[in-house]
Amino acid sequence: MKRYLVNAPLKELRRCKSMHNGDGFEQTSAGTGIHRIVLLCFLFALLASTPVLVVRGATVTLKKPFEPVFINMDAPKPWDDGQHELTISKPSGSQYPVPGEIKCALEKGQKYHVFLVGDFVFNKTLDESYLTDYDVEVYDPYMRLVSRHTESAGKPEQMATGGPKQYFIPEMDGSYTFRIYNDPKDSQGDEPAVFMLIKHIEMNTEYNVTLYGKSRVGDPYPFWFNYAYEFDTPNDDYQLVIKVPDPEGETGYSGLDMYEARVYPMADPSAGVGHYLRGLGVPWGHLLSGENDGYYGGYNTSIEGASWIDYTASCEYSGQDMLVTFGKPVHNVTETLVDDPTVFYYLVLLAEYDYGTVEFYLKTDYRPLNVTLLNPDVVGYTGDETTIYANVEAHHRIDRVWMNYTTDDWETEDTVELRKCDEGYKGNLPKFKLNDIVKYKVCASDEVDNKGSTRGEFEVKNEVDLSFSASRISLHGGESLTILGASSLPNTDHTIRFVCGSHSKTVNVKTNTVGEFQHTYTPQWVGDYDVTVEYGGDAVNHAAVSYPRGFTVETRSLTVSTRVDGVAKNTRPFELSGTVSPAVGGVPISFIIVTPTGSLVESCRTSQTGSFTVTIVPEELGPWEAIAQVGASELYATSSSQLTSFEVVKLMIPEVIILKAQEFTEPPLLYVPVGLVAALAIGVGFKTGFIQNLRSKKGNVKVEEIVEEPKDATTYRRRSDRKN
């Protein structure tokens, strides 16, 4: 439906009517009909294109966003200045409704509770012929419609920008307009109403406001001597804390002297006090008019206005802070009407002398902050600052983090502020002397003065500088690398630590006269290594660990080959040898030897040239075979040589005699050489035929086979002859 201004537009309409009747027109009999058609088209076009115009009534501009406006009633003190009253009558007949407007400058993002209550709110059981129906439209600073609120007749209106428990939150700074209509169709009266707009604040959150008091006794109060807020809490007790700025002698600033801080309980839905609109408590209209209902109501913002002695805090001098604990109002209602124990209050701050910015909060959360050190093992070095890192966990905005410290066990102390960093918070302690014992305490507080702390200490000593390099970063099994390093401590024992996965090995080294050291290391495991050089510390030097360096060891594949040199004879030592390529020392080799009647295994390790040898004393005649093998290990892959064959043959008769004669070369058988010469002559003269003869004869002559077992040789007998 389009609405038009009453005054000027009516003149235009009268003029159009006279023109339509022919006044001011030159009419001819032929053109009269055409003129009328053109005129009608013009009027329809004008109606379709004209912007929406509104019949306006009175306008009230609220200069403070916490003062009520009284509709169709006289305003009580202190709002009886004619600036807080508005008349919005029910239109009669076909007269178009004339709204009243309330304007107020609001801040973007702030939370406001805006509502309309009063005598027009009735229970539906009453005769609806008396009900008044107010509707409200909200416009932004550019007069664009933000929202429309049209509760049915007899119900309070609440202007919000969201769902349940939502307040009105402006999207921009500027003057918002609340246009209030007395609906001509649904309304049957024009009962009194109270429009209220007040900023809502949260519990356990710090706020600030600048207030201006009188300059001297007898002066009138400045405009911004007061401010008011709404808050709510279900708690039985809550604390109000107001930090008042102190005088400053150096600058001449006189501080601020507060008159009072007042709290007014305004709505308690669980006790049936006030209205309960979409989760929010709203006071009755008369509680906003200076009247009270028990401990509820009485709201006013003047120095002369009444206040509850149990809900008031005051200052005695400039700069005096206020800290007071309030509780829920006492009432006689025993039946819970709404299952929500939240009580809604108004807080009024009043300045008396001078000016300043007060910081204040309402507190119900007393949980301490959790402060932990991020570097609890920090050490202090002589001549250097010491950085302390801490983490702070809080349920509210962290206000300050600082550190107290002492070097005389808290007989005296100093303070350092910590600042925010990526890790948390950090602060630098100053330089200290050698062997100072520094104790420190990291403290933190949040916006409602909950605190937390943690402690630490350290002894100040000299810093030891360690550095080193590794000759290689990639190795294969069996290879070595060299560690070259330096320390600021000459002629001092240090430790090199090698770590590979779950394995660890330490090596002790000592620096020379200029602090240098060197060590060659052969890795024992395959994988990625971390190497550090460490110093254990002493009375004047802190323990130290170098920055780590790394290298990698991979499994090595070797080529194995074997060879047989000479003829293998039974009971005589015989060597089996071979090599690995590339040449690596210390590689474990298993020689698997197959005899005519079984198999054996002999082990050895390679020399630095990659060669290896085993010595055996075979007893079985016939074909033998051998193969050398590198078994799977941390450092080496499995590999084998080719199969090597050899024949074990009998000893020649002279070899037997020589071996027998060797038994007599050892003391005390010193006469044996003579016998050996004769025996040798006989052996040469008669050769084997003589010996065979002796074996064939029956008698007491017996020839035994002589077996020499040299050092590192292994004798192999038939399985049937071996002892278990």
Side-chain angles (χ1 to χ4, degrees):
M1 177 178 179
K2 300 187 185 299
R3 304 176 178 129
Y4 293 87
L5 290 173
V6 173
N7 299 324
L10 286 177
K11 295 180 181 180
E12 294 298 324
L13 290 175
R14 293 191 189 100
R15 179 172 178 271
C16 290
K17 182 178 179 181
S18 64
M19 291 172 63
H20 178 68
N21 289 334
D23 297 343
F25 280 91
E26 287 188 18
Q27 298 184 14
T28 63
S29 58
T32 300
I34 297 176
H35 289 162
R36 289 179 178 177
I37 294 174
V38 171
L39 179 59
L40 288 174
C41 292
F42 170 76
L43 289 174
F44 281 119
L46 179 64
L47 290 173
S49 61
T50 302
V52 175
L53 302 175
V54 180
V55 179
R56 291 190 177 91
T59 298
V60 171
T61 300
L62 286 177
K63 297 181 180 179
K64 296 181 179 181
F66 51 82
E67 297 180 340
V69 176
F70 301 90
I71 300 172
N72 298 335
M73 62 181 292
D74 294 331
K77 290 184 177 182
W79 299 295
D80 56 350
D81 55 1
Q83 304 298 316
H84 296 81
E85 297 177 2
L86 192 61
T87 300
I88 307 175
S89 301
K90 178 182 180 300
S92 60
S94 61
Q95 183 181 359
Y96 196 82
V98 179
E101 290 186 347
I102 300 172
K103 294 181 177 291
C104 187
L106 305 181
E107 300 175 62
K108 176 183 177 180
Q110 295 296 311
K111 189 180 291 185
Y112 297 90
H113 196 182
V114 188
F115 54 88
L116 187 68
V117 294
D119 293 349
F120 78 95
V121 180
F122 284 96
N123 191 304
K124 279 292 189 179
T125 59
L126 297 177
D127 186 353
E128 294 192 16
S129 62
Y130 296 98
L131 297 182
T132 301
D133 185 13
Y134 289 110
D135 294 335
V136 183
E137 293 177 342
V138 184
Y139 293 86
D140 67 13
Y142 294 97
M143 291 308 295
R144 295 174 298 195
L145 181 65
V146 175
S147 59
R148 181 179 288 112
H149 307 273
T150 58
E151 293 283 358
S152 60
K155 287 190 175 182
E157 298 283 356
Q158 182 170 258
M159 283 59 80
T161 54
K165 292 191 176 181
Q166 292 294 312
Y167 296 85
F168 185 82
I169 303 175
E171 295 185 354
M172 64 181 70
D173 293 330
S175 179
Y176 279 73
T177 300
F178 299 87
R179 187 172 289 164
I180 304 172
Y181 295 92
N182 192 336
D183 193 318
K185 292 185 178 180
D186 301 327
S187 183
Q188 304 300 322
D190 50 10
E191 294 294 322
V194 181
F195 174 89
M196 186 63 187
L197 181 153
I198 188 168
K199 185 180 292 187
H200 183 89
I201 59 175
E202 302 294 338
M203 303 297 291
N204 304 298
T205 303
E206 187 179 55
Y207 296 89
N208 64 77
V209 64
T210 301
L211 299 175
Y212 297 85
K214 299 181 294 184
S215 298
R216 57 183 179 270
V217 177
D219 284 354
Y221 280 96
F223 184 77
W224 286 111
F225 78 98
N226 60 356
Y227 213 97
Y229 304 89
E230 178 195 70
F231 69 93
D232 66 83
T233 177
N235 291 58
D236 291 334
D237 298 296
Y238 55 92
Q239 190 179 80
L240 171 64
V241 178
I242 302 176
K243 301 175 184 178
V244 183
D246 297 320
E248 298 175 359
E250 295 180 358
T251 62
Y253 172 62
S254 56
L256 174 65
D257 186 3
M258 290 290 290
Y259 180 77
E260 268 184 350
R262 303 172 182 169
V263 171
Y264 295 94
M266 298 301 292
D268 186 353
S270 66
V273 178
H275 308 289
Y276 194 62
L277 302 181
R278 295 178 176 83
L280 298 181
V282 177
W284 291 317
H286 68 276
L287 299 184
L288 294 166
S289 305
E291 300 179 23
N292 65 284
D293 190 318
Y295 270 98
Y296 298 92
Y299 172 69
N300 72 87
T301 60
S302 67
I303 296 292
E304 300 81 7
S307 60
W308 301 108
I309 190 170
D310 292 336
Y311 288 93
T312 302
S314 182
C315 277
E316 185 179 355
Y317 51 83
S318 294
Q320 183 182 15
D321 295 339
M322 290 183 278
L323 190 156
V324 61
T325 299
F326 298 129
K328 274 188 174 182
V330 178
H331 55 81
N332 296 322
V333 177
T334 58
E335 180 182 359
T336 300
L337 302 182
V338 177
D339 189 19
D340 184 348
T342 302
V343 179
F344 291 77
Y345 303 85
Y346 287 177
L347 169 66
V348 179
L349 304 178
L350 301 165
E352 186 170 13
Y353 288 104
D354 304 314
Y355 68 95
T357 299
V358 298
E359 297 174 344
F360 65 96
Y361 58 81
L362 293 143
K363 183 175 180 177
T364 57
D365 189 349
Y366 301 89
R367 289 174 291 179
L369 285 72
N370 182 28
V371 183
T372 55
L373 296 174
L374 296 178
N375 56 339
D377 299 325
V378 65
V379 296
Y381 296 117
T382 308
D384 287 341
E385 293 183 345
T386 305
T387 302
I388 304 297
Y389 291 90
N391 183 59
V392 181
E393 297 177 351
H395 299 280
H396 307 288
R397 177 178 57 82
I398 297 173
D399 185 58
R400 182 188 176 206
V401 182
W402 72 98
M403 176 168 46
N404 300 325
Y405 66 93
T406 180
T407 56
D408 54 14
D409 201 17
W410 301 109
E411 290 186 13
T412 61
E413 62 182 81
D414 290 294
T415 301
V416 170
E417 297 293 326
L418 272 67
R419 60 189 182 277
K420 196 79 174 67
C421 64
D422 292 339
E423 297 83 0
Y425 290 85
K426 71 175 182 179
N428 292 335
L429 292 172
K431 300 176 182 179
F432 298 104
K433 301 188 299 296
L434 179 64
N435 295 127
D436 274 348
I437 303 296
V438 181
K439 296 182 179 180
Y440 61 94
K441 180 181 178 182
V442 178
C443 308
S445 63
D446 62 17
E447 59 184 320
V448 291
D449 293 321
N450 293 320
K451 293 180 173 60
S453 64
T454 188
R455 295 174 180 266
E457 66 177 83
F458 57 84
E459 183 179 2
V460 180
K461 296 182 180 182
N462 296 324
E463 183 179 11
V464 177
D465 293 324
L466 299 174
S467 62
F468 74 97
S469 62
S471 61
R472 303 178 66 178
I473 61 172
S474 179
L475 297 85
H476 288 88
E479 295 181 329
S480 301
L481 79 163
T482 300
I483 302 297
L484 297 173
S487 168
S488 57
L489 299 178
N491 301 315
T492 305
D493 290 330
H494 292 69
T495 299
I496 305 176
R497 185 179 302 276
F498 299 89
V499 177
C500 178
S502 60
H503 303 290
S504 178
K505 180 178 178 59
T506 58
V507 177
N508 295 326
V509 295
K510 187 172 184 177
T511 56
N512 58 21
T513 56
V514 294
E516 297 175 347
F517 62 89
Q518 178 176 332
H519 176 73
T520 299
Y521 174 67
T522 302
Q524 300 172 271
W525 310 283
V526 172
D528 296 325
Y529 281 70
D530 284 324
V531 186
T532 54
V533 178
E534 304 172 1
Y535 176 66
D538 55 47
V540 296
N541 297 297
H542 273 303
V545 179
S546 69
Y547 288 107
R549 293 185 181 275
F551 62 87
T552 301
V553 177
E554 297 179 353
T555 301
R556 187 160 207 166
S557 297
L558 300 172
T559 301
V560 185
S561 61
T562 57
R563 68 178 184 276
V564 174
D565 296 326
V567 179
K569 297 183 179 181
N570 69 317
T571 71
R572 290 286 292 162
F574 181 70
E575 289 187 349
L576 296 173
S577 58
T579 59
V580 296
S581 179
V584 180
V587 178
I589 301 294
S590 296
F591 246 123
I592 302 172
I593 304 168
V594 180
T595 70
T597 60
S599 62
L600 312 152
V601 178
E602 182 68 16
S603 299
C604 63
R605 287 184 177 273
T606 61
S607 66
Q608 292 300 316
T609 61
S611 62
F612 57 89
T613 302
V614 296
T615 302
I616 61 174
V617 180
E619 291 188 350
E620 296 185 59
L621 301 176
W624 290 49
E625 293 178 326
I627 186 171
Q629 186 178 68
V630 177
S633 66
E634 279 280 345
L635 300 176
Y636 307 104
T638 300
S639 59
S640 301
S641 68
Q642 293 183 349
L643 190 66
T644 300
S645 300
F646 59 94
E647 185 83 13
V648 177
V649 299
K650 290 183 178 181
L651 286 172
M652 302 292 289
I653 292 302
E655 293 172 323
V656 174
I657 295 173
I658 292 173
L659 289 176
K660 188 64 178 178
Q662 286 178 350
E663 295 181 2
F664 299 96
T665 62
E666 299 179 3
L669 303 177
L670 299 179
Y671 56 86
V672 170
V674 176
L676 284 177
V677 173
L680 182 59
I682 294 172
V684 173
F686 294 95
K687 302 209 179 202
T688 55
F690 176 75
I691 298 300
Q692 293 293 340
N693 242 351
L694 290 176
R695 288 180 176 175
S696 63
K697 290 181 179 180
K698 296 181 179 179
N700 296 324
V701 180
K702 183 178 180 181
V703 179
E704 296 181 356
E705 293 183 352
I706 308 302
V707 178
E708 178 190 18
E709 296 185 3
K711 185 179 180 181
D712 297 331
T714 302
T715 303
Y716 298 100
R717 299 179 175 86
R718 292 182 178 86
R719 295 183 184 275
S720 61
D721 295 334
R722 295 177 190 165
K723 295 180 180 180
N724 294 329

